[in-house]
Amino acid sequence: MSEATSRQSGSARPAVTLASFQQLIRDMYFEKDVARGIDGTFMWLMEEVGELASALRNGTHEERLGEFADVLAWLATIANVAGVDLSEAVSRKYGAGCPGCGQFVCTCADAEKP
Ligand SMILES: [Zn+2]
């Protein structure tokens, strides 16, 4: 496996794609995640979102790094339990540009969500 090989060579961190990250989270936690279920896992995601808010307000860059990683990890966990492929989800919704206006640099009115 190429990722294992690149981990051994030098101190550079291996590239992480969304798909490989979701698989990593699956490999590490899937059984526990399924046992906890979507509802319990969603609560953990919300707790982590709160911690991200705190880190954005008062945290160091290092703390922000950790909280962004945690939010993404819990999102990946829920996706695993729900049987959702995050890469597919993102590609379907954003792969062809803004879902609102269809452009790669959004031209939606400022009042609109995108
Ligand atoms: Zn747009």
Side-chain angles (χ1 to χ4, degrees):
M1 177 171 145
S2 62
E3 283 176 48
T5 308
S6 65
R7 246 178 225 125
Q8 291 162 355
S9 60
S11 60
R13 293 180 189 88
V16 178
T17 65
L18 192 51
S20 70
F21 182 66
Q22 186 171 359
Q23 185 62 49
L24 177 70
I25 295 297
R26 174 184 292 276
D27 292 345
M28 287 193 289
Y29 303 119
F30 188 68
E31 284 182 27
K32 288 181 182 178
D33 292 339
V34 167
R36 186 189 315 104
I38 288 177
D39 288 12
T41 302
F42 190 80
M43 292 296 283
W44 279 109
L45 172 64
M46 291 299 99
E47 184 165 316
E48 291 299 339
V49 168
E51 290 177 14
L52 175 59
S54 280
L56 287 169
R57 238 173 229 193
N58 306 312
T60 64
H61 183 69
E62 199 66 28
E63 288 165 341
R64 291 174 180 177
L65 286 176
E67 296 305 336
F68 272 100
D70 286 344
V71 167
L72 203 53
W74 283 103
L75 191 67
T77 282
I78 294 173
N80 284 336
V81 177
V84 168
D85 181 325
L86 282 178
S87 288
E88 180 190 2
V90 169
S91 171
R92 278 193 191 196
K93 184 137 192 189
Y94 294 98
C98 170
C101 62
Q103 303 298 310
F104 280 98
V105 176
C106 177
T107 58
C108 294
D110 288 347
E112 295 175 45
K113 192 177 170 192

